[in-house]
Amino acid sequence: MDHEPMHPRLSRIAGTALLLLGIALVLWRVFGSPQYWEGDMRWLRTGLMLGALGAISLSARLIFPAGKGDAPDEASESAEGATADEEP
């Protein structure tokens, strides 16, 4: 089953929304979440922070998708292999 990739504009919009959601969750947790979250509630607190980290990481993949255009071409590889004295 072959899936079509997400449209780049839609991918960037979804990635930006996910990034803002992750940052908002982290800021809420740091500055506004209940301070009495102790005992078993610490697992929820930890899960929220790990979920926010995952959301921010996923948003980077959605905003900057890897594709065939990201692979280095032969011309850039030969230019990188040349020393400062040599011309490509």
Side-chain angles (χ1 to χ4, degrees):
M1 192 158 97
D2 193 23
H3 297 285
E4 291 186 32
M6 189 183 287
H7 191 272
R9 181 175 288 160
L10 182 62
S11 174
R12 288 193 175 112
I13 290 171
T16 303
L18 199 57
L19 177 67
L20 292 175
L21 178 71
I23 290 172
L25 185 61
V26 168
L27 290 176
W28 174 77
R29 173 57 197 107
V30 169
F31 295 117
S33 68
Q35 299 299 320
Y36 56 86
W37 282 12
E38 296 175 357
D40 290 339
M41 290 299 286
R42 72 174 185 256
W43 295 110
L44 177 63
R45 183 178 59 207
T46 304
L48 282 173
M49 295 306 286
L50 287 174
L53 178 65
I56 292 170
S57 298
L58 179 62
S59 73
R61 289 182 175 257
L62 288 174
I63 294 172
F64 306 108
K68 291 182 181 178
D70 294 337
D73 56 343
E74 294 176 11
S76 64
E77 287 178 359
S78 64
E80 288 176 358
T83 62
D85 299 335
E86 298 177 8
E87 291 185 15

